[in-house]
Amino acid sequence: SDPVSAEPDHFDVEKWKELGLLWRAKQIEEFLGGRYREAAFVVLDDLPLDVPNLVQTDGSVGLTDQDAELAIKILLKRH
């Protein structure tokens, strides 16, 4: 099944509280399919997830130049 289609609306705070952050982390890991060990990737999310290569953004601001620079550094370390 498609892990993204099962995602609740981003602004449905009550549903996210019910599901918990582990659900989101599992969704990302499922999407990557175990490829995260050999693939270069960055997870950009405003939730404080326990996943590799996370750049946590501020949901009220969006992606900042600082976030983008950190993401690029993570990607360059993988090569």
Side-chain angles (χ1 to χ4, degrees), residues 39-44 51-56 66-79:
F41 73 93
V42 173
V43 175
L44 301 168
V51 294
N53 301 343
L54 173 68
V55 175
Q56 186 176 348
Q66 184 178 1
D67 296 332
E69 289 172 12
L70 179 55
I72 291 168
K73 285 181 186 177
I74 291 170
L75 290 171
L76 290 175
K77 283 183 183 179
R78 300 288 301 180
H79 287 281

Side-chain angles (χ1 to χ4, degrees), residues 20-29 32 36 41 43 45-56:
L21 296 178
L22 289 177
W23 182 87
R24 179 71 166 169
K26 184 178 178 204
Q27 177 192 37
I28 291 168
E29 289 173 359
L32 290 170
Y36 61 88
F41 73 93
V43 175
D45 208 307
D46 61 340
L47 298 171
L49 304 172
D50 184 21
V51 294
N53 301 343
L54 173 68
V55 175
Q56 186 176 348

